Amino acid sequence: QAGVFTYDPGFTSTAACDSAITFIDGDNGVLTHRGYPIEQLATESHFLEVAYLLLYGELPTPKQQQDFETMVTRHTMIHEQMQYFFRGFRRDAHPMATMVGVVGALSAFYHDSTDINDAHHREVASIRLIAKMPTIAAMAYKYSIGQPFVYPRNDLDYAANFLHMCFAVPAEPYQVNPVIARAMDRIFTLHADHEQNASTSTVRLASSSGANPFACIAAGIACLWGPAHGGANQACLEMLREISTVDRIPEYIAKAKDKNDPFRLMGFGHRVYKNFDPRAKIMKETADEVLALLGVENNPTLQVAKELEAIALQDPYFIEKKLYPNVDFYSGIILEAIGFPTSMFTPIFALARTVGWISQWKEQLADPQLKIGRPRQLYMGDDVRKFVPINDR
Ligand code: SDX
């Protein structure tokens, strides 16, 4: 039921909500968006078509898709003055810090799309955020490596434009590899939406107070950053690099099983999936495809990941706890092979998840019964007692 609060002793109270966007069957490893299985969307559709589906509930006609993609393309630039926000950060700032700051600051520039009670404002804000996230993520990356910003281009599709803004330099032409662009687009699709995960719930909670869309998405980015959530793709690749060779895997499996050791296998386990995360299977196939294309199929990180997965899936502890690879287990291997540093993995997750956050933001605002989210608590503190002045303590 919408608005029903349940209390899990192990976790803070969770606000349930109604939604018609994404369905997950964690026991059977099922993920659908508006009824379409992720396996079909990831292989037969493309990110902006999935974005249309999430936003409007139906697959678009060719004209609807054309109009939508033209609208997104025409909003990829950010206000020229916003570049100075980037220059206020240290070069070594994590790009997620920059994205939280710059996305929140969009509300200071786009006043004609901040009134959540105006349907046109909501529509324009949705398009602007989907269009500008790749530009902001690419600018955060360029700034972190001391290279000049590269402007978006209208002749490139969404994924190719992002790759061009990240890897092109003024000194020479940069040709986007279409297979890499296709893999990038598929990674966006696999991260587009995922029901009421922590960051989406954060966006919904923020939007229930009437905050403007840019502030709500900035809140979602901040939550996604955590290593237990969207930050796991960066943490997972760093873990695989630390393991470095197949013979060291048993040492890390033992650490992950040790209750006294806070170490967790990054990219493994899930709050909902107690079976394979369907996205992880597609990500693994994409990793094989991209690394073979780049001639690095013997990449040691990929070998360690595959052997770690094989060993863990046969280990009684992981079987009993129903721990399987999740979306973050293989994604970093692909992104590293494409040329991204680990610090850009979560910004890419945020870029893609913006479509899901915005779809759920719009869905929630359309609820006529919407009230501000206000989880309650079980009070575990002291009984009422009399104040003691400091000189008497
Ligand atoms: C994402 O919600 C979403 O949908 C998120 C996401 C999305 O698309 O938005 O799917 C994206 O965030 C995926 C998850 C990325 N995080 C990681 O890969 C970090 C490593 N994973 C763990 O931190 C963990 O699995 C969580 C946080 C994801 C879930 O932890 P829970 O809630 O404890 O999972 P659980 O209840 O199923 O755990 C069962 C048991 C527990 O032990 P006991 O309390 O029963 O003794 O398994 C243990 C856990 O401690 N466990 C692990 C483990 N994950 C859970 N032990 C070792 N390694 C792990 N990775």
Side-chain angles (χ1 to χ4, degrees):
Q1 275 168 297
V4 171
F5 288 90
T6 54
Y7 179 74
D8 263 352
F11 298 90
T12 54
S13 65
T14 53
C17 70
D18 290 350
S19 179
I21 298 172
T22 291
F23 171 73
I24 300 173
D25 174 348
D27 292 331
N28 297 300
V30 172
L31 169 60
T32 64
H33 293 314
R34 304 287 190 179
Y36 294 97
I38 190 63
E39 293 85 352
Q40 294 174 27
L41 295 175
T43 51
E44 298 174 49
S45 183
H46 65 278
F47 181 65
L48 281 188
E49 185 174 62
V50 173
Y52 186 99
L53 173 68
L54 289 171
L55 284 166
Y56 305 112
E58 295 296 337
L59 288 170
T61 62
K63 177 163 183 343
Q64 288 168 331
Q65 188 61 30
Q66 179 62 42
D67 292 348
F68 179 69
E69 299 210 8
T70 301
M71 190 97 77
V72 170
T73 301
R74 294 276 167 83
H75 282 80
T76 48
M77 281 176 65
I78 63 172
H79 191 292
E80 189 66 0
Q81 199 171 315
M82 292 199 78
Q83 64 176 291
Y84 301 108
F85 282 114
F86 293 87
R87 301 187 195 288
F89 286 88
R90 285 172 41 136
R91 292 277 181 181
D92 60 357
H94 194 292
M96 285 296 275
T98 315
M99 288 186 75
V100 170
V102 173
V103 171
L106 287 169
S107 57
F109 284 81
Y110 297 105
H111 300 103
D112 59 345
S113 55
T114 52
D115 178 357
I116 63 162
N117 298 308
D118 178 315
H120 181 67
H121 275 231
R122 291 200 300 268
E123 190 61 22
V124 172
S126 303
I127 296 293
R128 276 181 167 147
L129 278 157
I130 293 166
K132 296 179 191 318
M133 286 300 273
T135 308
I136 292 168
M139 289 176 76
Y141 172 55
K142 283 302 204 186
Y143 183 72
S144 74
I145 59 174
Q147 285 189 1
F149 298 135
V150 173
Y151 287 95
R153 282 178 28 184
N154 289 357
D155 63 322
L156 297 174
D157 69 33
Y158 196 81
N161 205 6
F162 174 63
L163 292 168
H164 185 265
M165 289 189 283
C166 288
F167 297 124
V169 289
E172 58 187 23
Y174 174 81
Q175 194 61 41
V176 177
N177 179 317
V179 176
I180 300 296
R182 179 82 194 106
M184 189 78 256
D185 187 275
R186 184 177 298 169
I187 288 172
F188 290 159
T189 296
L190 293 172
H191 287 88
D193 189 50
H194 211 241
E195 202 219 60
Q196 303 314 314
N197 56 85
S199 55
T200 300
S201 300
T202 299
V203 170
R204 279 185 172 257
L205 202 54
S207 79
S208 73
S209 75
N212 74 68
F214 306 108
C216 293
I217 299 305
I221 296 171
C223 178
L224 185 76
W225 194 356
H229 188 15
N233 51 19
Q234 172 174 351
C236 180
L237 194 91
E238 288 163 356
M239 173 192 75
L240 294 171
R241 282 180 180 164
E242 185 186 320
I243 295 173
S244 67
T245 56
V246 169
D247 59 351
R248 296 188 66 201
I249 290 174
E251 172 195 338
Y252 284 82
I253 294 272
K255 277 172 61 71
K257 290 158 59 174
D258 178 356
K259 276 296 152 217
N260 300 316
D261 189 328
F263 173 76
R264 289 280 177 278
L265 273 190
M266 291 289 111
F268 251 82
H270 199 275
R271 290 294 285 118
V272 179
Y273 288 120
K274 301 309 167 191
N275 195 319
F276 256 96
D277 177 338
R279 302 169 296 174
K281 286 183 181 174
I282 302 164
M283 204 67 88
K284 182 177 180 180
E285 291 159 11
T286 306
D288 285 336
E289 183 186 327
V290 168
L291 270 69
L293 173 87
L294 296 172
V296 291
E297 58 272 31
N298 297 321
N299 172 320
T301 315
L302 180 61
Q303 302 317 315
V304 167
K306 288 186 171 179
E307 185 63 17
L308 173 58
E309 177 187 7
I311 294 171
L313 292 182
Q314 290 165 19
D315 185 289
Y317 173 89
F318 287 85
I319 293 169
E320 184 230 332
K321 304 286 185 186
K322 298 183 179 177
L323 302 177
Y324 292 84
N326 59 49
V327 69
D328 296 308
F329 191 65
Y330 285 103
S331 58
I333 291 167
I334 306 169
L335 296 174
E336 181 195 48
I338 291 175
F340 290 105
T342 57
S343 61
M344 278 300 291
F345 292 3
T346 310
I348 288 167
F349 192 151
L351 179 174
R353 185 53 57 87
T354 296
V355 165
W357 288 332
I358 280 293
S359 303
Q360 300 222 22
W361 169 77
K362 287 180 76 171
E363 180 182 65
Q364 172 153 292
L365 288 180
D367 176 357
Q369 305 300 320
L370 179 63
K371 288 189 171 51
I372 185 168
R374 177 55 176 93
R376 291 309 308 274
Q377 62 176 22
L378 278 183
Y379 178 68
M380 315 293 277
D382 295 292
D383 289 340
V384 174
R385 51 184 170 161
K386 188 169 173 5
F387 180 78
V388 178
I390 189 160
N391 295 330
D392 300 337
R393 289 178 213 155

